[in-house]
Amino acid sequence: MTTLFIDDREVTVEPGTSILEACRQHGVDVPYFCYHPELSVAANCRMCLVEVEGWNKPAASCCTPVSEGMKVRTQSEALRKDRAMIMEYLLIHHPLDCPVCDQGGDCKLQDYAVDYGPSKGRYTEPKRAVINYDLGPFVNTCMTRCIHCTRCVRFANEVAGTGDMGVLNRGDHMTIAGIVEDALESELSGNLPDICPVGALLDKPSHDVSRPWELTHHRSTCTQCPNGCDINIESRDERVIRIRPVEGSPEPWICDRGRYVYDAFRSPQRILEPKLRRGDAFEPASWDEAFARVVELTRGKRVGIVFSPCWSLEGLMSIRLMRDAVFPDAKVAFDLHRRDMRPFAFEEGFSMTTAQIEAADRVVVLGSDLRQRLPLLMQRLRKRVRNGRPVSRIGAMNYRTNVRLTQDALIRPRDWHAVIARAMEQVQELGKTAAGMDDWLARVEARHEAGKVLADALMADSCALVVGEEIRSHEDAAALVYGLDLLMRACGHAEPGRDGRNLVPEEMNAQMLSAVFGDVRTSARDLFAAAGAGELDALLLIGSDPVGDGLFPSAADAALRKVPLIQIGAIDGDVGRRAAVKLPAAAYAEIEGTFLNMEGRVRVASKPVKSLGQERPLWKVMMRLVQEMGGEPPVVSLDELRERLFAAMPAVREACASATCDACLVPVARNRVQVLPNTQPPAFPLDVVSRYSMYREGMWARASALLSEAGRIHALDDVIVHPDTLASLGLEAGPLTIESFLGKETFRVGTREDVSPGVIYIAKRGVAGHLSDVTSARLSGEAS
Amino acid sequence: MIPSDPKQVTQICFDRIRIPNQRRLEVARANGAYRFLPTVLNEFTPEKIIDEMKKSGLRGRGGAGFPTGLKWSFVPRDTGKPTYLLCNADEGEPGTFKDRDIMRYDPHLLIEGMIMAGFALNVRDAYIYIRGEFKREAEILNEAIREAYAANLLGENILGTGYTMHLTVHRGAGAYVCGEETALIESLEGKPGRPRYKPPFPAVEGFYRCPTVVNNVETLATVPAILEHGGDWHAAIGVQNSAGCKIFSVSGHVNKPGNYEVPMGTTLKTLIEEHCGGLRHGSVPKVVIPGGSSTPWLTAEHYEVPLTYDDMVKAGSMLGSGAIIVMDETTDVVAVTRRLSHFYAHESCGQCTPCREGTGWLERLMLKLEAGKATEQDLEVLSDAAEHMAGRTICALADGAAAPVLSMLKHFPDEVRARLVEKAA
Amino acid sequence: MSAVETPRFSQERLEEIQALVARYPGARSALLPVLHMAQEDFGYLSLDVQRHVAEVLGLTLIQVREVVTFYTMFREQPCGTYLMEVCTNASCMLNGADRLVRHMCDKLGIKVGETTPDGMFTVTEVECAGACGGAPVVQINNEYHENVDEAYIDRFIDEARGKGGKA
Ligand SMILES: Cc1cc2nc3c(=O)[nH]c(=O)nc-3n(C[C@H](O)[C@H](O)[C@H](O)COP(=O)(O)O)c2cc1C
Ligand code: SF4
Ligand code: FES
């Protein structure tokens, strides 16, 4: 440790800390513009000057490391004059347009001008003119206000990894620029306005809407992906204006999906009052009328329940209580992406924190488009690669990551058995094995070289395995996960404290779902099949859209043609058109509640946004339903409900009780299973994978006009294959026929080099979206 | 023009420069080039070389005057990373044109110096970063390097000694700031030449984050003589703290402008009157910029100052790169300052606030002053803006930009005031 | 897409570039030399040329743009057959560079930074050329001309015109 004196106060910091960081750690204010704790040091603004005893000139504190016994002075007459001059230099070309600038009230330049600036600028010559650039659908530029701190460029290079921004020209002609013709392509672009200390980069959607001091802040949890970021919802007059990250959270950034989904809160797709179908239209109804209709449709009937995993833990618990009280025989489904419902050796959720993954010796990503699904984890992996640490990947598509991966193997989903088998062989050769591995191996004949990538990584001291959607939604997922579990155990990556098994869940609250619904859950596919076959009389749909999302749109569609739909939720979406009754339930920003992210962190939403209509917290709707159905509501207050939740999940109680709830992680379920591979070949020669898009997946995203617009900008072809796939069949890109168990249909097929040969990629929200049910198909030139 | 031969003085870098065709390897060799190289590679250890360099008292000739032997001794030896040697041939400081003569008339001297320095520092890859405008000089160097490779003076296993070094000439593309060593490194990495903050210093983390030594052409060209004759021999030339000879590039209002290598300690007056044939008009200069345009001005009062590092500081300036710009009494100091302010505004890399904004501001104020439109308050701003640039930035370009303005204000207050709007009207 | 053929390096050039890249610890280091080559081959560095260079060296377009716009020797616009760059920095100024520039511009009927309508001559001012002993200095297509006076310039321009516009 290094001891130094800041303004005569003795402080101790880690060796190598900069003076500025030492000051920040000890609550000493030093002004700065270019420094940002999450970015590399640029030391270009020169605002952070301090005096060091014995030095003949002031030092930039952000880039000067502390040394033993150093005497630092942060205030003096000379420094005051220096800072005033820096302000004067900066204001030379800065327009005096604070009254019309969105940043006003939240601007470092404005603040420091008050604290340090001269009373009056002495520059009277003309100001420079600057060109603006297209930084994508979410960022406005007003580059005349730029103070050249380069935070944005460093963010683009270091965090977003797009490398699409840079610094052109030199001297006072220097400008920050994007690529002229193309919009910035980044799923983190909404952070740019946040890190710009002045009003040069501005949030486009909230442009001109309000001033910072008019906003009310609400602390909540984003449920748009399993990362569950802390968010600060800013509203004015009960209207959500924007969503921003929360300082001091595990992640300093949030992604564009979580940020710009906010306009969905006011979308026409919101369910704000109970509604009843009359013919082809919906009419507002009272709660009493609506419940009466629900009772009519479900009392004494065979009911299937499908719900979204994104409700708060309290909401989810109330679904279970409702089911037990009213439909004790009902099967429930919540995962629209899992085909194989057998228990997994390690269930969905992470054994490691993302920080631990970033720090592991090796990281292997198996079959996941992390940049779209978990942009913040991807950002950490990018940081890792930049620091020279390896990240390997095996998967069906070379999903763009904006970073050069150490190893990258393209395979088909049907190859996973062979990949794992190859890895098993290699670790066994090195003397590592686990009970059961021989049996597993014996069932798989084929070997795939990509297994080497996996085996190599497993040999490291610590190895983080990130298992993605390609495996989770595989027909034989349980066997694959078991195989991976054997490998991890054989190589010592399964012991407590060194557990590297991470299975990316589709959505939030995975640990809770396997703990609380493990005994009653069924596969959504089976549930829809049962409804389609006339084995059910009604579907209760609580906040999800099985036709728009998930892997069973065709099965869901068939089911909804057969049975009446009761929809409870915050958004109706496309599927809402088919409902008989709609009941409003409050959205995630509108409730107090508890959530669990993929790491098992408990996230608390404490200060809700006010409701817009008649919507109620889900638990209240559930309890009312129990009552209407003639039952006794099992709980009557939120506290009672929480007691039931804690009883079912003691770990959540512990986490909630501990002061630093981040220290207490809710563990992932493990199952002692032995699932041997089923290597029967799929029915058709090509594998089908449906591609996730952060801008289009989920009811919330589709209800957001902002995200939908971004989705259009970033869309790929609806159906894509590798050029070799077509060449080997003697076909050319264009309209082709896809034959699957759903029959034959013609689509326009495009090509891309980064798709694995032998795989058909479909955009879930495109015209071929209903093919998501399919795992294999045949491609031909014949007309359908 | 080949540098003239100031009789009766010791010369090091220019010792053989007047030999016709010295740039050809066979001629250079016939006159002693590479004569001592095998001895160094076979019999000297890196420690001994660095020791001799320390003893020699040689200080870097690029401008900062940092002791060369000491700089070399800072290079860590056991990092597991390669060490790089970069020759700074950017020669951008206005008034400086000495390195160009070494490169075009005696390139093998530089190459030999680089091999010796490379051997001392365990360098495998060395580069000469030459300003882009010196295209012809780059061609001459490339030809000399080709000859040296053919004679196994460069490349694998040099002269069978087991030492391997590769040398590449790299052309800049028009940016004064790339002469600053960390900007030079950025530029050599294929980026805009924006200086890096220090620490880390290049000796520890430089080119591609590896240990790197950057030395000026003249510095490296001095190495062969030092190793052949010994550090003590070199230390005995010149004066205390300013050992050896120095090339002075003299330009401006002198009768015989050009490069003159003389022992350190020679006075300014001797150099100008005896070697350069005196001033064109008048007997004493109005202004002498002693070390390149970035150094503070001297006036007639310092005409007899000895050309040493210490005496220059005492006189209020710096020896810098040894580029002496002489101005006679006909000179309009406001116009010259305005021109230099334009230079710094044009060359600022743009990253540091005081330099990016300050250089442009100074230029616009100087234009105003030159045009007779400046006010008393403008003068105050001029001095304020200049003072607060110096020493507040990543590199010393801003100090250089401030120097002419502050010098003008300090030495010629009356001339400046006479140009103010009230007076001019 | 524009109708103009995208500029491409010749095979020999590509081989030269490959050999050049091998001399550095990283390919990006070859950017300045490769841009010099591109400017020689294609006259100036259009956005298409920059994109080609980025591709050849495996860089992003913005990395190339940053460098092209930073260094003064790289041109994004075409210039005359004879690019006449006059140093007007201190030493040359003290020796009449400003007068020389005025003379050149008057003779050619253009302003500094412009090209004659026949596309023959471009006149620019540059910073210290590093040849102050021979002030004033004019670089013409990268050749140094030292101790230049009005008569010298007149002779040069007349001779060049006599050659009918070929450098
Ligand atoms: C703005 C600026 C420009 C410089 N230009 C040059 C130059 O053109 N040539 C040079 O050798 N050193 C130049 N230097 C000095 C170098 O940074 C460095 O000190 C020198 O190359 C070290 O070599 P030496 O120790 O042999 O002198 C410049 C420094 C600054 C701040
Ligand atoms: S746009 Fe903003 S973040 Fe970027 S350099 Fe300018 S002031 Fe800094
Ligand atoms: S914060 Fe230190 S220079 Fe900007």
Side-chain angles (χ1 to χ4, degrees), chain A residues 107-130:
Chain A
C107 173
K108 267 190 178 279
L109 201 60
Q110 205 178 34
D111 296 350
Y112 290 164
V114 174
D115 294 352
Y116 305 98
S119 50
K120 182 164 167 287
R122 294 175 293 178
Y123 180 84
T124 49
E125 274 63 48
K127 296 184 187 261
R128 74 183 145 237
V130 190

PDB file of all heavy atoms in Angstrom, chain A residues 107-130:
ATOM      1  N   CYS A 107     -24.826  18.848 -17.009  1.00  0.00           N
ATOM      2  CA  CYS A 107     -23.702  19.057 -17.909  1.00  0.00           C
ATOM      3  C   CYS A 107     -22.487  19.442 -17.098  1.00  0.00           C
ATOM      4  O   CYS A 107     -22.524  20.376 -16.301  1.00  0.00           O
ATOM      5  CB  CYS A 107     -24.041  20.162 -18.903  1.00  0.00           C
ATOM      6  SG  CYS A 107     -22.662  20.662 -19.935  1.00  0.00           S
ATOM      7  N   LYS A 108     -21.388  18.717 -17.307  1.00  0.00           N
ATOM      8  CA  LYS A 108     -20.176  19.011 -16.555  1.00  0.00           C
ATOM      9  C   LYS A 108     -19.647  20.391 -16.904  1.00  0.00           C
ATOM     10  O   LYS A 108     -19.120  21.098 -16.059  1.00  0.00           O
ATOM     11  CB  LYS A 108     -19.118  17.961 -16.888  1.00  0.00           C
ATOM     12  CG  LYS A 108     -19.099  16.795 -15.936  1.00  0.00           C
ATOM     13  CD  LYS A 108     -17.862  15.956 -16.219  1.00  0.00           C
ATOM     14  CE  LYS A 108     -17.764  14.790 -15.273  1.00  0.00           C
ATOM     15  NZ  LYS A 108     -17.225  15.099 -13.984  1.00  0.00           N
ATOM     16  N   LEU A 109     -19.781  20.738 -18.174  1.00  0.00           N
ATOM     17  CA  LEU A 109     -19.232  22.011 -18.606  1.00  0.00           C
ATOM     18  C   LEU A 109     -19.957  23.156 -17.892  1.00  0.00           C
ATOM     19  O   LEU A 109     -19.356  24.100 -17.404  1.00  0.00           O
ATOM     20  CB  LEU A 109     -19.380  22.146 -20.121  1.00  0.00           C
ATOM     21  CG  LEU A 109     -18.454  23.155 -20.809  1.00  0.00           C
ATOM     22  CD1 LEU A 109     -16.995  22.811 -20.591  1.00  0.00           C
ATOM     23  CD2 LEU A 109     -18.763  23.218 -22.287  1.00  0.00           C
ATOM     24  N   GLN A 110     -21.292  23.007 -17.841  1.00  0.00           N
ATOM     25  CA  GLN A 110     -22.094  24.027 -17.186  1.00  0.00           C
ATOM     26  C   GLN A 110     -21.753  24.105 -15.685  1.00  0.00           C
ATOM     27  O   GLN A 110     -21.538  25.179 -15.142  1.00  0.00           O
ATOM     28  CB  GLN A 110     -23.564  23.666 -17.377  1.00  0.00           C
ATOM     29  CG  GLN A 110     -24.513  24.825 -17.315  1.00  0.00           C
ATOM     30  CD  GLN A 110     -25.950  24.353 -17.558  1.00  0.00           C
ATOM     31  OE1 GLN A 110     -26.329  23.246 -17.171  1.00  0.00           O
ATOM     32  NE2 GLN A 110     -26.733  25.199 -18.197  1.00  0.00           N
ATOM     33  N   ASP A 111     -21.684  22.927 -15.059  1.00  0.00           N
ATOM     34  CA  ASP A 111     -21.388  22.904 -13.624  1.00  0.00           C
ATOM     35  C   ASP A 111     -20.039  23.550 -13.331  1.00  0.00           C
ATOM     36  O   ASP A 111     -19.907  24.370 -12.433  1.00  0.00           O
ATOM     37  CB  ASP A 111     -21.350  21.465 -13.098  1.00  0.00           C
ATOM     38  CG  ASP A 111     -22.703  20.800 -13.221  1.00  0.00           C
ATOM     39  OD1 ASP A 111     -23.681  21.519 -13.530  1.00  0.00           O
ATOM     40  OD2 ASP A 111     -22.781  19.568 -13.029  1.00  0.00           O
ATOM     41  N   TYR A 112     -19.024  23.143 -14.090  1.00  0.00           N
ATOM     42  CA  TYR A 112     -17.685  23.662 -13.818  1.00  0.00           C
ATOM     43  C   TYR A 112     -17.577  25.135 -14.182  1.00  0.00           C
ATOM     44  O   TYR A 112     -16.791  25.868 -13.604  1.00  0.00           O
ATOM     45  CB  TYR A 112     -16.632  22.869 -14.598  1.00  0.00           C
ATOM     46  CG  TYR A 112     -16.422  21.460 -14.103  1.00  0.00           C
ATOM     47  CD1 TYR A 112     -15.765  20.523 -14.892  1.00  0.00           C
ATOM     48  CD2 TYR A 112     -16.851  21.059 -12.833  1.00  0.00           C
ATOM     49  CE1 TYR A 112     -15.564  19.225 -14.452  1.00  0.00           C
ATOM     50  CE2 TYR A 112     -16.652  19.768 -12.395  1.00  0.00           C
ATOM     51  CZ  TYR A 112     -16.008  18.843 -13.208  1.00  0.00           C
ATOM     52  OH  TYR A 112     -15.798  17.568 -12.781  1.00  0.00           O
ATOM     53  N   ALA A 113     -18.355  25.554 -15.172  1.00  0.00           N
ATOM     54  CA  ALA A 113     -18.308  26.970 -15.526  1.00  0.00           C
ATOM     55  C   ALA A 113     -18.734  27.787 -14.317  1.00  0.00           C
ATOM     56  O   ALA A 113     -18.212  28.862 -14.051  1.00  0.00           O
ATOM     57  CB  ALA A 113     -19.195  27.259 -16.723  1.00  0.00           C
ATOM     58  N   VAL A 114     -19.694  27.240 -13.562  1.00  0.00           N
ATOM     59  CA  VAL A 114     -20.133  27.930 -12.356  1.00  0.00           C
ATOM     60  C   VAL A 114     -19.049  27.851 -11.280  1.00  0.00           C
ATOM     61  O   VAL A 114     -18.696  28.839 -10.643  1.00  0.00           O
ATOM     62  CB  VAL A 114     -21.445  27.308 -11.839  1.00  0.00           C
ATOM     63  CG1 VAL A 114     -21.834  27.927 -10.509  1.00  0.00           C
ATOM     64  CG2 VAL A 114     -22.553  27.496 -12.872  1.00  0.00           C
ATOM     65  N   ASP A 115     -18.469  26.644 -11.108  1.00  0.00           N
ATOM     66  CA  ASP A 115     -17.509  26.445 -10.023  1.00  0.00           C
ATOM     67  C   ASP A 115     -16.144  27.057 -10.310  1.00  0.00           C
ATOM     68  O   ASP A 115     -15.472  27.544  -9.417  1.00  0.00           O
ATOM     69  CB  ASP A 115     -17.309  24.945  -9.765  1.00  0.00           C
ATOM     70  CG  ASP A 115     -18.577  24.299  -9.240  1.00  0.00           C
ATOM     71  OD1 ASP A 115     -19.522  25.047  -8.939  1.00  0.00           O
ATOM     72  OD2 ASP A 115     -18.621  23.066  -9.145  1.00  0.00           O
ATOM     73  N   TYR A 116     -15.693  26.918 -11.540  1.00  0.00           N
ATOM     74  CA  TYR A 116     -14.303  27.264 -11.820  1.00  0.00           C
ATOM     75  C   TYR A 116     -14.134  28.316 -12.904  1.00  0.00           C
ATOM     76  O   TYR A 116     -13.046  28.816 -13.126  1.00  0.00           O
ATOM     77  CB  TYR A 116     -13.522  26.014 -12.269  1.00  0.00           C
ATOM     78  CG  TYR A 116     -13.594  24.880 -11.297  1.00  0.00           C
ATOM     79  CD1 TYR A 116     -14.491  23.837 -11.484  1.00  0.00           C
ATOM     80  CD2 TYR A 116     -12.758  24.858 -10.182  1.00  0.00           C
ATOM     81  CE1 TYR A 116     -14.562  22.789 -10.583  1.00  0.00           C
ATOM     82  CE2 TYR A 116     -12.821  23.819  -9.278  1.00  0.00           C
ATOM     83  CZ  TYR A 116     -13.727  22.778  -9.479  1.00  0.00           C
ATOM     84  OH  TYR A 116     -13.783  21.758  -8.601  1.00  0.00           O
ATOM     85  N   GLY A 117     -15.181  28.571 -13.646  1.00  0.00           N
ATOM     86  CA  GLY A 117     -15.011  29.363 -14.857  1.00  0.00           C
ATOM     87  C   GLY A 117     -14.722  30.819 -14.582  1.00  0.00           C
ATOM     88  O   GLY A 117     -14.945  31.329 -13.481  1.00  0.00           O
ATOM     89  N   PRO A 118     -14.227  31.503 -15.603  1.00  0.00           N
ATOM     90  CA  PRO A 118     -14.033  32.944 -15.491  1.00  0.00           C
ATOM     91  C   PRO A 118     -15.413  33.605 -15.572  1.00  0.00           C
ATOM     92  O   PRO A 118     -16.361  33.000 -16.044  1.00  0.00           O
ATOM     93  CB  PRO A 118     -13.212  33.286 -16.726  1.00  0.00           C
ATOM     94  CG  PRO A 118     -13.571  32.231 -17.722  1.00  0.00           C
ATOM     95  CD  PRO A 118     -13.963  31.012 -16.946  1.00  0.00           C
ATOM     96  N   SER A 119     -15.498  34.817 -15.143  1.00  0.00           N
ATOM     97  CA  SER A 119     -16.805  35.450 -15.164  1.00  0.00           C
ATOM     98  C   SER A 119     -17.247  35.690 -16.600  1.00  0.00           C
ATOM     99  O   SER A 119     -18.417  35.701 -16.919  1.00  0.00           O
ATOM    100  CB  SER A 119     -16.752  36.759 -14.396  1.00  0.00           C
ATOM    101  OG  SER A 119     -15.657  37.517 -14.860  1.00  0.00           O
ATOM    102  N   LYS A 120     -16.259  35.829 -17.490  1.00  0.00           N
ATOM    103  CA  LYS A 120     -16.631  36.212 -18.850  1.00  0.00           C
ATOM    104  C   LYS A 120     -15.544  35.713 -19.780  1.00  0.00           C
ATOM    105  O   LYS A 120     -14.350  35.875 -19.521  1.00  0.00           O
ATOM    106  CB  LYS A 120     -16.690  37.739 -18.878  1.00  0.00           C
ATOM    107  CG  LYS A 120     -17.094  38.360 -20.185  1.00  0.00           C
ATOM    108  CD  LYS A 120     -17.483  39.823 -19.925  1.00  0.00           C
ATOM    109  CE  LYS A 120     -17.596  40.601 -21.224  1.00  0.00           C
ATOM    110  NZ  LYS A 120     -16.291  40.876 -21.828  1.00  0.00           N
ATOM    111  N   GLY A 121     -15.924  35.047 -20.871  1.00  0.00           N
ATOM    112  CA  GLY A 121     -14.937  34.584 -21.837  1.00  0.00           C
ATOM    113  C   GLY A 121     -14.328  35.771 -22.569  1.00  0.00           C
ATOM    114  O   GLY A 121     -14.991  36.781 -22.794  1.00  0.00           O
ATOM    115  N   ARG A 122     -13.045  35.643 -22.905  1.00  0.00           N
ATOM    116  CA  ARG A 122     -12.401  36.767 -23.561  1.00  0.00           C
ATOM    117  C   ARG A 122     -12.135  36.465 -25.028  1.00  0.00           C
ATOM    118  O   ARG A 122     -11.356  37.126 -25.688  1.00  0.00           O
ATOM    119  CB  ARG A 122     -11.096  37.097 -22.844  1.00  0.00           C
ATOM    120  CG  ARG A 122     -11.323  37.615 -21.434  1.00  0.00           C
ATOM    121  CD  ARG A 122     -10.030  37.812 -20.698  1.00  0.00           C
ATOM    122  NE  ARG A 122      -9.354  36.537 -20.427  1.00  0.00           N
ATOM    123  CZ  ARG A 122      -8.184  36.433 -19.819  1.00  0.00           C
ATOM    124  NH1 ARG A 122      -7.539  37.496 -19.427  1.00  0.00           N
ATOM    125  NH2 ARG A 122      -7.647  35.245 -19.606  1.00  0.00           N
ATOM    126  N   TYR A 123     -12.773  35.417 -25.516  1.00  0.00           N
ATOM    127  CA  TYR A 123     -12.560  35.050 -26.904  1.00  0.00           C
ATOM    128  C   TYR A 123     -13.620  35.710 -27.764  1.00  0.00           C
ATOM    129  O   TYR A 123     -14.814  35.550 -27.521  1.00  0.00           O
ATOM    130  CB  TYR A 123     -12.628  33.529 -27.056  1.00  0.00           C
ATOM    131  CG  TYR A 123     -12.417  33.069 -28.466  1.00  0.00           C
ATOM    132  CD1 TYR A 123     -11.132  32.892 -28.967  1.00  0.00           C
ATOM    133  CD2 TYR A 123     -13.497  32.814 -29.297  1.00  0.00           C
ATOM    134  CE1 TYR A 123     -10.923  32.480 -30.265  1.00  0.00           C
ATOM    135  CE2 TYR A 123     -13.295  32.397 -30.595  1.00  0.00           C
ATOM    136  CZ  TYR A 123     -12.010  32.238 -31.075  1.00  0.00           C
ATOM    137  OH  TYR A 123     -11.815  31.824 -32.355  1.00  0.00           O
ATOM    138  N   THR A 124     -13.200  36.441 -28.750  1.00  0.00           N
ATOM    139  CA  THR A 124     -14.183  37.171 -29.548  1.00  0.00           C
ATOM    140  C   THR A 124     -14.125  36.803 -31.021  1.00  0.00           C
ATOM    141  O   THR A 124     -14.864  37.322 -31.830  1.00  0.00           O
ATOM    142  CB  THR A 124     -13.941  38.695 -29.413  1.00  0.00           C
ATOM    143  OG1 THR A 124     -12.550  38.938 -29.628  1.00  0.00           O
ATOM    144  CG2 THR A 124     -14.325  39.182 -28.035  1.00  0.00           C
ATOM    145  N   GLU A 125     -13.227  35.882 -31.369  1.00  0.00           N
ATOM    146  CA  GLU A 125     -13.078  35.504 -32.775  1.00  0.00           C
ATOM    147  C   GLU A 125     -14.188  34.513 -33.170  1.00  0.00           C
ATOM    148  O   GLU A 125     -14.904  34.011 -32.315  1.00  0.00           O
ATOM    149  CB  GLU A 125     -11.692  34.870 -32.999  1.00  0.00           C
ATOM    150  CG  GLU A 125     -10.590  35.879 -33.266  1.00  0.00           C
ATOM    151  CD  GLU A 125     -10.340  36.835 -32.108  1.00  0.00           C
ATOM    152  OE1 GLU A 125     -10.218  36.400 -30.959  1.00  0.00           O
ATOM    153  OE2 GLU A 125     -10.298  38.029 -32.365  1.00  0.00           O
ATOM    154  N   PRO A 126     -14.316  34.199 -34.460  1.00  0.00           N
ATOM    155  CA  PRO A 126     -15.387  33.278 -34.875  1.00  0.00           C
ATOM    156  C   PRO A 126     -15.204  31.876 -34.304  1.00  0.00           C
ATOM    157  O   PRO A 126     -14.075  31.434 -34.062  1.00  0.00           O
ATOM    158  CB  PRO A 126     -15.253  33.233 -36.410  1.00  0.00           C
ATOM    159  CG  PRO A 126     -14.193  34.198 -36.781  1.00  0.00           C
ATOM    160  CD  PRO A 126     -13.530  34.721 -35.574  1.00  0.00           C
ATOM    161  N   LYS A 127     -16.323  31.152 -34.112  1.00  0.00           N
ATOM    162  CA  LYS A 127     -16.270  29.771 -33.624  1.00  0.00           C
ATOM    163  C   LYS A 127     -16.251  28.815 -34.801  1.00  0.00           C
ATOM    164  O   LYS A 127     -16.688  29.147 -35.889  1.00  0.00           O
ATOM    165  CB  LYS A 127     -17.494  29.502 -32.741  1.00  0.00           C
ATOM    166  CG  LYS A 127     -17.496  30.367 -31.486  1.00  0.00           C
ATOM    167  CD  LYS A 127     -18.659  30.036 -30.578  1.00  0.00           C
ATOM    168  CE  LYS A 127     -18.745  31.005 -29.419  1.00  0.00           C
ATOM    169  NZ  LYS A 127     -18.170  30.518 -28.177  1.00  0.00           N
ATOM    170  N   ARG A 128     -15.759  27.606 -34.537  1.00  0.00           N
ATOM    171  CA  ARG A 128     -15.642  26.682 -35.670  1.00  0.00           C
ATOM    172  C   ARG A 128     -16.979  26.005 -35.972  1.00  0.00           C
ATOM    173  O   ARG A 128     -17.833  25.851 -35.096  1.00  0.00           O
ATOM    174  CB  ARG A 128     -14.563  25.635 -35.408  1.00  0.00           C
ATOM    175  CG  ARG A 128     -14.962  24.597 -34.411  1.00  0.00           C
ATOM    176  CD  ARG A 128     -13.869  23.594 -34.100  1.00  0.00           C
ATOM    177  NE  ARG A 128     -14.002  23.242 -32.693  1.00  0.00           N
ATOM    178  CZ  ARG A 128     -13.061  23.362 -31.794  1.00  0.00           C
ATOM    179  NH1 ARG A 128     -11.863  23.780 -32.118  1.00  0.00           N
ATOM    180  NH2 ARG A 128     -13.301  23.037 -30.540  1.00  0.00           N
ATOM    181  N   ALA A 129     -17.114  25.579 -37.211  1.00  0.00           N
ATOM    182  CA  ALA A 129     -18.313  24.833 -37.629  1.00  0.00           C
ATOM    183  C   ALA A 129     -17.948  23.353 -37.698  1.00  0.00           C
ATOM    184  O   ALA A 129     -16.831  23.001 -38.053  1.00  0.00           O
ATOM    185  CB  ALA A 129     -18.763  25.319 -38.987  1.00  0.00           C
ATOM    186  N   VAL A 130     -18.871  22.484 -37.339  1.00  0.00           N
ATOM    187  CA  VAL A 130     -18.575  21.060 -37.275  1.00  0.00           C
ATOM    188  C   VAL A 130     -19.726  20.263 -37.897  1.00  0.00           C
ATOM    189  O   VAL A 130     -20.889  20.657 -37.799  1.00  0.00           O
ATOM    190  CB  VAL A 130     -18.399  20.619 -35.796  1.00  0.00           C
ATOM    191  CG1 VAL A 130     -17.860  19.213 -35.717  1.00  0.00           C
ATOM    192  CG2 VAL A 130     -17.477  21.560 -35.053  1.00  0.00           C
TER     193      VAL A 130
END
